[in-house]
Amino acid sequence: MTKMLLAAGLAALMAGTSGVALAQSGNGVLTVATIGEPPTLDAMQTPTDIVLTITQHMFETLYTYDDKWQPSPLLAAAMPEISQDGLTYRIPLRQGVTFHDGSAFDSADVVASLKRWMEINSKGRQVAQVIESVAADGDQTVVIKLKSRYSPLLATLSQGWAPIFPSEKLGGELKEFIGTGPYKLQERRPDQYTQLVRFDGYKSPEGEPSNYAGRREAIAGEVRFVPVPDANTRVEGLLSGQYDYADALPVSAYERVEGASNVKPVIFENAGWTSLNMNMAEGPLTSKPLRQAVQTALNPSDMMLAAFSDERFFSVDGAFYPEGFFWHTEDGVTRYGEGDPEAAAKLMKEAGYDGKPIRILTSRQYEFHYKTGEVAKAYLEAAGFKVDLQVVDWATLTTRRADKGQWDIFITHSNFPGDPTTLNTITDTYPGWYTSDAKTKAVGAFLNAVSNDDRLAAWKTIQTTIYDDAPLVKVGNFNALGGLANGVSGYQAAYWPRFWNVTPKS
Protein backbone atom coordinates (compact mmCIF):
# COMPACT_ATOMS: atom_id res chain seq x y z
CA MET A 1 0.00 0.00 0.00
CA THR A 2 1.77 3.05 -0.84
CA LYS A 3 2.26 6.62 -0.50
CA MET A 4 3.32 7.60 -3.86
CA LEU A 5 6.30 9.73 -4.66
CA LEU A 6 8.06 9.83 -8.00
CA ALA A 7 11.51 8.49 -7.37
CA ALA A 8 13.37 11.30 -8.97
CA GLY A 9 13.86 13.53 -5.91
CA LEU A 10 13.10 11.22 -3.06
CA ALA A 11 15.79 10.65 -0.49
CA ALA A 12 14.67 8.85 2.60
CA LEU A 13 17.07 8.60 5.50
CA MET A 14 17.18 5.16 6.99
CA ALA A 15 17.06 4.16 10.59
CA GLY A 16 18.24 0.83 11.88
CA THR A 17 20.26 -1.42 9.60
CA SER A 18 21.12 -0.51 6.03
CA GLY A 19 19.22 -3.44 4.59
CA VAL A 20 16.25 -5.58 5.41
CA ALA A 21 16.87 -7.49 8.59
CA LEU A 22 17.39 -11.17 8.09
CA ALA A 23 16.24 -13.01 11.16
CA GLN A 24 14.22 -15.98 12.21
CA SER A 25 10.63 -15.02 12.79
CA GLY A 26 10.05 -14.78 16.52
CA ASN A 27 7.44 -13.63 18.94
CA GLY A 28 8.75 -10.14 19.54
CA VAL A 29 6.36 -7.19 19.66
CA LEU A 30 6.63 -3.86 17.87
CA THR A 31 4.61 -1.13 19.58
CA VAL A 32 3.84 1.80 17.30
CA ALA A 33 2.46 5.14 18.48
CA THR A 34 0.18 6.63 15.82
CA ILE A 35 -1.48 10.02 15.56
CA GLY A 36 -4.87 8.73 16.64
CA GLU A 37 -7.62 6.18 16.38
CA PRO A 38 -8.48 5.03 12.85
CA PRO A 39 -12.13 5.78 12.05
CA THR A 40 -12.38 2.36 10.38
CA LEU A 41 -10.20 -0.48 9.14
CA ASP A 42 -12.04 -0.51 5.83
CA ALA A 43 -9.47 1.24 3.63
CA MET A 44 -11.98 1.59 0.79
CA GLN A 45 -14.26 3.68 2.99
CA THR A 46 -11.77 6.14 4.47
CA PRO A 47 -8.36 6.10 2.78
CA THR A 48 -6.63 8.35 5.31
CA ASP A 49 -3.00 8.04 6.40
CA ILE A 50 -3.75 6.44 9.75
CA VAL A 51 -6.05 3.84 8.17
CA LEU A 52 -3.56 2.92 5.44
CA THR A 53 -0.61 2.81 7.84
CA ILE A 54 -2.34 0.02 9.74
CA THR A 55 -4.23 -1.80 7.00
CA GLN A 56 -1.30 -2.12 4.58
CA HIS A 57 -0.05 -4.88 6.91
CA MET A 58 -3.37 -6.75 6.62
CA PHE A 59 -4.59 -6.11 3.10
CA GLU A 60 -2.82 -6.23 -0.24
CA THR A 61 -3.51 -4.75 -3.65
CA LEU A 62 -2.87 -6.04 -7.15
CA TYR A 63 0.14 -3.74 -7.52
CA THR A 64 2.23 -1.61 -5.21
CA TYR A 65 5.09 0.87 -5.59
CA ASP A 66 8.79 0.07 -5.83
CA ASP A 67 11.62 2.40 -4.83
CA LYS A 68 11.25 4.27 -8.13
CA TRP A 69 7.57 4.77 -7.33
CA GLN A 70 6.56 2.69 -10.30
CA PRO A 71 3.85 -0.01 -10.10
CA SER A 72 5.17 -3.45 -9.21
CA PRO A 73 3.22 -6.73 -8.86
CA LEU A 74 1.93 -7.64 -5.40
CA LEU A 75 -1.11 -9.92 -5.72
CA ALA A 76 -0.71 -9.78 -9.48
CA ALA A 77 1.83 -12.27 -10.82
CA ALA A 78 3.23 -9.83 -13.39
CA MET A 79 2.60 -6.56 -15.10
CA PRO A 80 -0.55 -6.66 -17.24
CA GLU A 81 -0.74 -7.51 -20.89
CA ILE A 82 -2.17 -4.37 -22.50
CA SER A 83 -3.91 -4.44 -25.87
CA GLN A 84 -2.56 -2.34 -28.72
CA ASP A 85 -5.41 0.17 -28.42
CA GLY A 86 -4.73 0.56 -24.69
CA LEU A 87 -8.25 -0.47 -23.71
CA THR A 88 -7.81 -4.04 -22.40
CA TYR A 89 -5.64 -5.07 -19.42
CA ARG A 90 -5.10 -8.80 -18.78
CA ILE A 91 -3.77 -9.22 -15.24
CA PRO A 92 -2.33 -12.61 -14.18
CA LEU A 93 -2.69 -13.44 -10.48
CA ARG A 94 -0.27 -15.12 -8.10
CA GLN A 95 -1.07 -18.72 -7.23
CA GLY A 96 -1.02 -20.31 -3.79
CA VAL A 97 -2.03 -17.13 -1.95
CA THR A 98 -4.54 -17.55 0.87
CA PHE A 99 -6.60 -15.18 2.97
CA HIS A 100 -6.36 -15.00 6.75
CA ASP A 101 -9.45 -17.22 7.05
CA GLY A 102 -7.76 -19.96 5.02
CA SER A 103 -9.75 -19.42 1.82
CA ALA A 104 -7.90 -19.37 -1.49
CA PHE A 105 -7.28 -16.12 -3.34
CA ASP A 106 -8.53 -16.13 -6.93
CA SER A 107 -9.99 -13.96 -9.66
CA ALA A 108 -13.49 -13.94 -8.12
CA ASP A 109 -12.08 -12.08 -5.10
CA VAL A 110 -10.43 -9.49 -7.32
CA VAL A 111 -13.56 -8.89 -9.39
CA ALA A 112 -15.80 -8.55 -6.33
CA SER A 113 -13.34 -6.29 -4.51
CA LEU A 114 -12.75 -3.98 -7.47
CA LYS A 115 -16.48 -3.66 -8.06
CA ARG A 116 -16.99 -2.67 -4.44
CA TRP A 117 -14.05 -0.25 -4.70
CA MET A 118 -15.66 1.39 -7.75
CA GLU A 119 -18.91 1.82 -5.81
CA ILE A 120 -17.72 3.24 -2.48
CA ASN A 121 -14.24 4.74 -2.87
CA SER A 122 -13.73 8.24 -4.27
CA LYS A 123 -10.83 7.15 -6.51
CA GLY A 124 -12.70 3.98 -7.44
CA ARG A 125 -15.77 5.94 -8.50
CA GLN A 126 -13.55 8.12 -10.66
CA VAL A 127 -12.02 5.09 -12.37
CA ALA A 128 -15.45 3.48 -12.76
CA GLN A 129 -16.39 6.17 -15.24
CA VAL A 130 -13.86 4.80 -17.73
CA ILE A 131 -14.19 1.07 -16.99
CA GLU A 132 -16.44 -0.94 -19.24
CA SER A 133 -16.05 -4.22 -17.37
CA VAL A 134 -14.01 -6.17 -14.81
CA ALA A 135 -14.27 -9.91 -15.33
CA ALA A 136 -12.55 -13.17 -14.48
CA ASP A 137 -10.95 -15.27 -17.20
CA GLY A 138 -10.51 -18.47 -15.29
CA ASP A 139 -9.36 -18.55 -11.68
CA GLN A 140 -6.00 -16.86 -12.19
CA THR A 141 -6.64 -13.99 -14.62
CA VAL A 142 -8.66 -10.80 -14.45
CA VAL A 143 -9.52 -8.73 -17.51
CA ILE A 144 -10.26 -5.02 -17.24
CA LYS A 145 -11.79 -3.37 -20.31
CA LEU A 146 -11.83 0.40 -20.60
CA LYS A 147 -14.17 2.72 -22.46
CA SER A 148 -11.26 5.07 -23.15
CA ARG A 149 -7.56 5.21 -22.42
CA TYR A 150 -6.73 5.78 -18.77
CA SER A 151 -3.00 6.12 -18.20
CA PRO A 152 -3.17 6.17 -14.35
CA LEU A 153 -4.93 2.78 -14.07
CA LEU A 154 -1.96 0.87 -12.68
CA ALA A 155 -0.97 3.75 -10.41
CA THR A 156 -4.49 3.78 -8.97
CA LEU A 157 -4.54 0.01 -8.48
CA SER A 158 -1.22 0.32 -6.62
CA GLN A 159 -2.74 2.41 -3.86
CA GLY A 160 -3.86 1.08 -0.52
CA TRP A 161 -7.51 2.01 -0.95
CA ALA A 162 -8.01 -0.75 -3.57
CA PRO A 163 -7.39 -3.84 -1.37
CA ILE A 164 -8.56 -7.31 -2.26
CA PHE A 165 -10.96 -9.02 0.16
CA PRO A 166 -12.54 -12.51 0.05
CA SER A 167 -15.54 -12.29 -2.24
CA GLU A 168 -17.62 -14.29 0.25
CA LYS A 169 -17.19 -11.55 2.88
CA LEU A 170 -18.36 -8.66 0.72
CA GLY A 171 -21.81 -7.15 0.60
CA GLY A 172 -22.69 -3.94 2.36
CA GLU A 173 -20.63 -2.83 5.33
CA LEU A 174 -17.40 -4.75 5.87
CA LYS A 175 -17.79 -6.74 9.08
CA GLU A 176 -14.71 -8.95 8.95
CA PHE A 177 -11.29 -7.49 8.15
CA ILE A 178 -9.67 -10.35 6.29
CA GLY A 179 -6.84 -9.92 3.83
CA THR A 180 -3.79 -11.69 2.42
CA GLY A 181 -1.10 -9.59 4.15
CA PRO A 182 1.73 -10.70 6.43
CA TYR A 183 -0.26 -9.70 9.51
CA LYS A 184 -3.85 -10.37 10.48
CA LEU A 185 -6.19 -8.61 12.88
CA GLN A 186 -6.21 -10.15 16.33
CA GLU A 187 -8.03 -7.50 18.36
CA ARG A 188 -9.11 -3.90 18.10
CA ARG A 189 -9.93 -1.90 21.19
CA PRO A 190 -11.00 1.58 20.12
CA ASP A 191 -8.85 4.33 21.64
CA GLN A 192 -6.53 1.69 23.14
CA TYR A 193 -4.86 -0.32 20.37
CA THR A 194 -5.16 -2.28 17.16
CA GLN A 195 -3.35 -5.59 17.56
CA LEU A 196 -2.04 -7.42 14.50
CA VAL A 197 -0.36 -10.81 14.70
CA ARG A 198 1.73 -12.75 12.22
CA PHE A 199 -0.19 -14.65 9.55
CA ASP A 200 1.64 -17.96 9.41
CA GLY A 201 0.06 -18.83 6.07
CA TYR A 202 1.42 -15.74 4.36
CA LYS A 203 2.94 -16.14 0.90
CA SER A 204 5.29 -13.30 0.08
CA PRO A 205 5.94 -11.86 -3.36
CA GLU A 206 9.42 -12.56 -4.67
CA GLY A 207 12.28 -10.16 -5.18
CA GLU A 208 14.43 -7.96 -3.00
CA PRO A 209 12.49 -5.46 -0.88
CA SER A 210 12.05 -2.23 -2.80
CA ASN A 211 9.92 0.38 -1.04
CA TYR A 212 6.55 -1.41 -0.72
CA ALA A 213 7.39 -4.07 -3.33
CA GLY A 214 9.40 -7.27 -3.04
CA ARG A 215 9.79 -9.74 -0.21
CA ARG A 216 7.72 -9.23 2.93
CA GLU A 217 8.53 -11.15 6.12
CA ALA A 218 6.55 -10.92 9.33
CA ILE A 219 9.58 -11.06 11.63
CA ALA A 220 7.79 -9.61 14.65
CA GLY A 221 5.13 -11.88 16.07
CA GLU A 222 2.92 -8.89 16.81
CA VAL A 223 2.58 -5.28 15.72
CA ARG A 224 0.49 -3.15 18.06
CA PHE A 225 -0.70 0.26 16.90
CA VAL A 226 -1.51 2.55 19.82
CA PRO A 227 -3.44 5.79 19.20
CA VAL A 228 -1.63 8.71 20.85
CA PRO A 229 -3.31 11.91 19.62
CA ASP A 230 -1.05 14.31 21.50
CA ALA A 231 2.28 14.76 19.71
CA ASN A 232 4.21 15.54 22.87
CA THR A 233 2.86 12.40 24.52
CA ARG A 234 4.22 10.40 21.59
CA VAL A 235 7.62 11.98 22.15
CA GLU A 236 7.63 11.22 25.88
CA GLY A 237 6.44 7.66 25.30
CA LEU A 238 9.21 7.06 22.79
CA LEU A 239 11.88 8.46 25.10
CA SER A 240 10.61 6.42 28.05
CA GLY A 241 10.76 3.17 26.07
CA GLN A 242 7.00 2.72 25.89
CA TYR A 243 7.00 2.72 22.07
CA ASP A 244 9.33 1.16 19.53
CA TYR A 245 8.32 3.66 16.88
CA ALA A 246 6.51 6.97 17.20
CA ASP A 247 5.01 8.57 14.11
CA ALA A 248 4.55 12.22 13.12
CA LEU A 249 6.66 13.83 15.83
CA PRO A 250 6.87 17.61 16.06
CA VAL A 251 10.10 18.90 14.59
CA SER A 252 10.71 20.78 17.83
CA ALA A 253 11.46 17.38 19.39
CA TYR A 254 14.31 16.60 17.00
CA GLU A 255 17.15 17.62 19.32
CA ARG A 256 15.71 15.69 22.27
CA VAL A 257 15.31 12.53 20.21
CA GLU A 258 18.73 12.91 18.59
CA GLY A 259 20.38 13.43 21.97
CA ALA A 260 18.71 10.48 23.70
CA SER A 261 20.71 7.30 24.30
CA ASN A 262 17.90 4.83 23.64
CA VAL A 263 16.25 6.19 20.46
CA LYS A 264 17.12 7.87 17.18
CA PRO A 265 15.29 10.22 14.83
CA VAL A 266 13.94 9.05 11.48
CA ILE A 267 13.57 11.66 8.72
CA PHE A 268 11.60 11.14 5.54
CA GLU A 269 12.44 13.89 3.05
CA ASN A 270 9.77 15.46 0.85
CA ALA A 271 7.20 13.44 2.69
CA GLY A 272 4.41 15.62 1.42
CA TRP A 273 2.78 19.02 1.21
CA THR A 274 0.20 20.85 3.24
CA SER A 275 -2.89 22.49 1.82
CA LEU A 276 -6.04 24.38 2.65
CA ASN A 277 -8.84 22.78 0.64
CA MET A 278 -11.88 24.89 -0.16
CA ASN A 279 -15.53 23.87 -0.43
CA MET A 280 -16.65 24.50 -4.02
CA ALA A 281 -20.06 22.88 -3.54
CA GLU A 282 -21.71 24.99 -0.83
CA GLY A 283 -21.01 28.18 1.08
CA PRO A 284 -19.18 31.42 0.28
CA LEU A 285 -16.19 29.77 -1.38
CA THR A 286 -18.27 28.59 -4.30
CA SER A 287 -17.21 32.02 -5.59
CA LYS A 288 -14.00 31.75 -7.63
CA PRO A 289 -12.90 35.37 -6.91
CA LEU A 290 -13.37 34.72 -3.20
CA ARG A 291 -11.24 31.55 -3.40
CA GLN A 292 -8.60 33.57 -5.23
CA ALA A 293 -8.83 36.16 -2.45
CA VAL A 294 -8.00 33.43 0.07
CA GLN A 295 -4.95 32.44 -1.99
CA THR A 296 -3.84 36.06 -2.24
CA ALA A 297 -4.25 36.79 1.48
CA LEU A 298 -2.13 33.93 2.81
CA ASN A 299 1.59 33.89 3.54
CA PRO A 300 3.07 30.40 2.91
CA SER A 301 6.43 31.24 4.50
CA ASP A 302 4.88 32.23 7.82
CA MET A 303 2.50 29.26 7.83
CA MET A 304 5.32 26.77 7.17
CA LEU A 305 7.63 28.38 9.72
CA ALA A 306 4.91 28.25 12.37
CA ALA A 307 4.11 24.64 11.50
CA PHE A 308 7.66 23.27 11.33
CA SER A 309 9.83 25.79 13.23
CA ASP A 310 13.04 24.76 11.49
CA GLU A 311 13.88 25.35 7.82
CA ARG A 312 15.53 21.93 7.72
CA PHE A 313 12.04 20.49 7.74
CA PHE A 314 10.22 22.48 5.08
CA SER A 315 10.45 24.38 1.81
CA VAL A 316 8.14 27.02 0.37
CA ASP A 317 7.19 26.06 -3.16
CA GLY A 318 3.93 26.64 -5.02
CA ALA A 319 4.54 23.87 -7.57
CA PHE A 320 2.67 20.66 -6.84
CA TYR A 321 5.87 18.59 -7.18
CA PRO A 322 9.22 19.57 -5.62
CA GLU A 323 12.19 20.63 -7.70
CA GLY A 324 14.02 17.58 -9.04
CA PHE A 325 10.87 15.51 -9.56
CA PHE A 326 9.95 14.61 -13.12
CA TRP A 327 6.64 16.40 -12.72
CA HIS A 328 8.08 19.62 -11.30
CA THR A 329 7.06 22.74 -13.19
CA GLU A 330 6.47 26.37 -12.27
CA ASP A 331 3.85 26.73 -15.01
CA GLY A 332 0.69 28.41 -13.81
CA VAL A 333 1.83 29.17 -10.25
CA THR A 334 0.23 32.47 -9.27
CA ARG A 335 -1.15 34.24 -6.19
CA TYR A 336 1.53 32.41 -4.20
CA GLY A 337 3.87 34.55 -2.14
CA GLU A 338 4.08 36.62 0.99
CA GLY A 339 0.41 37.50 1.40
CA ASP A 340 -1.20 40.70 0.12
CA PRO A 341 -4.18 41.76 2.28
CA GLU A 342 -4.94 44.81 0.13
CA ALA A 343 -5.14 42.79 -3.08
CA ALA A 344 -7.17 40.15 -1.26
CA ALA A 345 -9.58 42.80 0.04
CA LYS A 346 -10.09 44.05 -3.51
CA LEU A 347 -10.97 40.53 -4.72
CA MET A 348 -13.30 40.12 -1.76
CA LYS A 349 -15.13 43.30 -2.70
CA GLU A 350 -15.45 42.17 -6.33
CA ALA A 351 -16.84 38.86 -5.10
CA GLY A 352 -19.41 40.61 -2.90
CA TYR A 353 -18.20 39.03 0.34
CA ASP A 354 -20.97 39.53 2.90
CA GLY A 355 -18.99 38.95 6.10
CA LYS A 356 -20.16 35.40 6.66
CA PRO A 357 -17.52 33.54 8.74
CA ILE A 358 -15.23 31.18 6.86
CA ARG A 359 -15.28 27.89 8.78
CA ILE A 360 -11.84 26.26 8.86
CA LEU A 361 -11.53 22.66 10.07
CA THR A 362 -8.21 21.57 11.55
CA SER A 363 -6.89 19.04 14.07
CA ARG A 364 -4.19 19.02 16.74
CA GLN A 365 -3.50 15.35 16.08
CA TYR A 366 -1.37 16.73 13.27
CA GLU A 367 0.11 19.65 15.17
CA PHE A 368 1.40 21.24 11.96
CA HIS A 369 -2.17 21.34 10.63
CA TYR A 370 -3.28 23.26 13.70
CA LYS A 371 -0.39 25.75 13.59
CA THR A 372 -0.99 26.30 9.88
CA GLY A 373 -4.61 27.07 10.68
CA GLU A 374 -3.72 29.59 13.36
CA VAL A 375 -1.53 31.61 10.97
CA ALA A 376 -4.03 31.29 8.13
CA LYS A 377 -6.74 32.69 10.42
CA ALA A 378 -4.60 35.72 11.25
CA TYR A 379 -3.83 36.53 7.61
CA LEU A 380 -7.41 36.02 6.45
CA GLU A 381 -8.69 38.30 9.20
CA ALA A 382 -6.08 40.92 8.23
CA ALA A 383 -7.59 40.89 4.73
CA GLY A 384 -11.11 41.38 6.12
CA PHE A 385 -12.47 37.83 6.35
CA LYS A 386 -14.30 36.66 9.42
CA VAL A 387 -12.92 33.28 10.43
CA ASP A 388 -14.27 30.45 12.58
CA LEU A 389 -11.33 28.11 13.29
CA GLN A 390 -12.78 24.78 14.45
CA VAL A 391 -10.31 22.40 16.12
CA VAL A 392 -11.52 18.78 16.19
CA ASP A 393 -9.99 15.32 16.34
CA TRP A 394 -8.92 13.85 13.01
CA ALA A 395 -11.69 11.23 12.88
CA THR A 396 -14.29 13.96 13.36
CA LEU A 397 -12.67 16.11 10.70
CA THR A 398 -12.74 13.33 8.10
CA THR A 399 -16.40 12.68 8.92
CA ARG A 400 -17.40 16.34 8.94
CA ARG A 401 -15.62 17.21 5.70
CA ALA A 402 -17.86 14.69 3.89
CA ASP A 403 -20.85 16.94 4.69
CA LYS A 404 -20.94 19.83 2.21
CA GLY A 405 -22.82 22.06 4.63
CA GLN A 406 -20.45 21.89 7.60
CA TRP A 407 -17.26 23.61 6.47
CA ASP A 408 -15.59 26.03 4.06
CA ILE A 409 -11.89 25.09 4.35
CA PHE A 410 -10.18 22.04 5.81
CA ILE A 411 -6.46 21.63 6.36
CA THR A 412 -4.71 18.43 5.36
CA HIS A 413 -1.52 17.10 3.86
CA SER A 414 -0.85 14.90 0.86
CA ASN A 415 2.03 13.03 -0.69
CA PHE A 416 3.58 13.34 -4.14
CA PRO A 417 1.96 10.57 -6.18
CA GLY A 418 3.77 8.73 -8.92
CA ASP A 419 1.01 9.73 -11.30
CA PRO A 420 -0.30 13.30 -10.89
CA THR A 421 -3.86 12.40 -11.83
CA THR A 422 -4.05 10.45 -8.58
CA LEU A 423 -3.73 13.69 -6.60
CA ASN A 424 -6.80 14.03 -4.40
CA THR A 425 -7.47 17.42 -5.98
CA ILE A 426 -7.99 15.79 -9.37
CA THR A 427 -10.81 13.62 -8.03
CA ASP A 428 -14.20 15.25 -8.58
CA THR A 429 -15.68 13.53 -5.51
CA TYR A 430 -12.89 14.37 -3.04
CA PRO A 431 -14.17 16.74 -0.30
CA GLY A 432 -14.13 20.17 -1.86
CA TRP A 433 -15.83 18.72 -4.94
CA TYR A 434 -13.61 20.51 -7.44
CA THR A 435 -15.13 20.36 -10.91
CA SER A 436 -14.76 22.67 -13.88
CA ASP A 437 -14.88 22.39 -17.63
CA ALA A 438 -11.27 23.54 -17.83
CA LYS A 439 -10.13 20.82 -15.41
CA THR A 440 -12.07 18.14 -17.27
CA LYS A 441 -10.45 19.15 -20.56
CA ALA A 442 -6.92 19.35 -19.09
CA VAL A 443 -7.18 16.00 -17.32
CA GLY A 444 -8.66 14.39 -20.45
CA ALA A 445 -5.59 15.42 -22.44
CA PHE A 446 -3.36 13.85 -19.81
CA LEU A 447 -5.29 10.59 -19.74
CA ASN A 448 -4.96 10.23 -23.50
CA ALA A 449 -1.28 11.19 -23.66
CA VAL A 450 1.10 8.44 -24.73
CA SER A 451 4.67 9.70 -24.38
CA ASN A 452 6.17 11.13 -21.19
CA ASP A 453 6.77 14.41 -23.03
CA ASP A 454 3.09 14.65 -23.90
CA ARG A 455 2.12 13.69 -20.35
CA LEU A 456 4.38 16.38 -18.86
CA ALA A 457 2.96 19.00 -21.22
CA ALA A 458 -0.56 17.97 -20.20
CA TRP A 459 0.38 18.12 -16.52
CA LYS A 460 1.63 21.70 -16.94
CA THR A 461 -1.81 22.61 -18.25
CA ILE A 462 -3.47 20.85 -15.30
CA GLN A 463 -1.36 22.77 -12.77
CA THR A 464 -2.14 26.04 -14.52
CA THR A 465 -5.85 25.20 -14.48
CA ILE A 466 -5.81 24.33 -10.77
CA TYR A 467 -4.25 27.67 -9.91
CA ASP A 468 -6.81 29.52 -12.00
CA ASP A 469 -9.79 27.65 -10.53
CA ALA A 470 -8.32 28.00 -7.00
CA PRO A 471 -9.82 24.91 -5.29
CA LEU A 472 -7.06 24.97 -2.69
CA VAL A 473 -4.02 26.75 -1.34
CA LYS A 474 -0.77 24.83 -1.48
CA VAL A 475 1.23 25.91 1.57
CA GLY A 476 4.60 24.15 1.16
CA ASN A 477 6.59 20.91 1.24
CA PHE A 478 7.70 19.17 4.41
CA ASN A 479 9.96 16.45 5.73
CA ALA A 480 8.45 14.05 8.25
CA LEU A 481 9.98 13.13 11.61
CA GLY A 482 9.54 9.89 13.46
CA GLY A 483 11.48 8.17 16.21
CA LEU A 484 12.80 4.61 16.48
CA ALA A 485 14.00 2.69 19.52
CA ASN A 486 17.59 1.48 19.47
CA GLY A 487 17.79 -2.25 18.87
CA VAL A 488 14.97 -2.29 16.31
CA SER A 489 16.55 -3.20 12.99
CA GLY A 490 15.46 -3.25 9.38
CA TYR A 491 13.16 -0.25 9.56
CA GLN A 492 13.29 2.09 6.57
CA ALA A 493 11.67 5.51 6.59
CA ALA A 494 8.43 5.54 4.62
CA TYR A 495 5.46 7.81 4.11
CA TRP A 496 3.19 5.13 5.52
CA PRO A 497 5.43 3.46 8.12
CA ARG A 498 5.63 -0.27 7.45
CA PHE A 499 6.80 -3.01 9.83
CA TRP A 500 7.25 -6.17 7.81
CA ASN A 501 10.97 -7.02 7.45
CA VAL A 502 11.56 -5.27 10.78
CA THR A 503 13.15 -7.06 13.76
CA PRO A 504 12.08 -6.02 17.27
CA LYS A 505 14.68 -5.23 19.88
CA SER A 506 15.73 -8.23 21.93
Side-chain angles (χ1 to χ4, degrees), residues 225-345:
F225 295 92
V226 180
V228 186
D230 183 76
N232 293 321
T233 304
R234 292 197 295 277
V235 174
E236 297 304 328
L238 175 72
L239 293 172
S240 70
Q242 187 176 0
Y243 309 123
D244 296 299
Y245 180 83
D247 194 23
L249 300 182
V251 296
S252 58
Y254 181 81
E255 281 74 16
R256 287 191 69 201
V257 175
E258 186 182 40
S261 61
N262 62 329
V263 298
K264 65 192 67 163
V266 180
I267 297 176
F268 185 70
E269 293 186 356
N270 280 330
W273 52 286
T274 53
S275 62
L276 284 76
N277 297 260
M278 294 185 263
N279 187 341
M280 292 179 59
E282 288 187 19
L285 297 182
T286 56
S287 164
K288 179 174 169 179
L290 209 55
R291 296 194 302 273
Q292 292 180 342
V294 171
Q295 289 180 322
T296 303
L298 295 175
N299 183 310
S301 296
D302 282 356
M303 286 190 287
M304 292 301 286
L305 186 60
F308 295 98
S309 307
D310 187 329
E311 291 185 357
R312 290 177 297 179
F313 288 94
F314 73 88
S315 61
V316 176
D317 180 7
F320 286 110
Y321 282 85
E323 190 172 353
F325 281 59
F326 176 79
W327 301 108
H328 175 75
T329 175
E330 297 291 337
D331 283 37
V333 176
T334 187
R335 295 181 302 281
Y336 184 88
E338 297 308 306
D340 188 338
E342 291 184 2

Side-chain angles (χ1 to χ4, degrees), residues 6-23:
L6 203 61
L10 181 63
L13 299 183
M14 296 174 60
T17 59
S18 60
V20 172
L22 297 177

Side-chain angles (χ1 to χ4, degrees), residues 68 196 202 320:
K68 295 181 179 179
L196 308 184
Y202 181 64
F320 286 110

Side-chain angles (χ1 to χ4, degrees), residues 441-457:
K441 181 179 179 181
V443 172
F446 185 96
L447 299 182
N448 283 293
V450 177
S451 70
N452 274 342
D453 286 345
D454 289 342
R455 284 158 59 87
L456 179 58

Side-chain angles (χ1 to χ4, degrees), residues 174-241:
L174 197 65
K175 295 183 176 161
E176 295 182 71
F177 301 100
I178 296 170
T180 58
Y183 289 92
K184 62 182 181 180
L185 179 65
Q186 179 72 15
E187 183 179 22
R188 182 187 179 196
R189 292 192 176 183
D191 298 318
Q192 295 186 49
Y193 60 78
T194 300
Q195 180 191 24
L196 308 184
V197 297
R198 181 190 304 117
F199 173 40
D200 290 328
Y202 181 64
K203 184 170 182 179
S204 171
E206 297 180 353
E208 287 301 306
S210 176
N211 199 12
Y212 295 94
R215 187 181 68 251
R216 298 179 171 192
E217 182 182 2
I219 298 174
E222 175 186 332
V223 182
R224 184 173 294 221
F225 295 92
V226 180
V228 186
D230 183 76
N232 293 321
T233 304
R234 292 197 295 277
V235 174
E236 297 304 328
L238 175 72
L239 293 172
S240 70

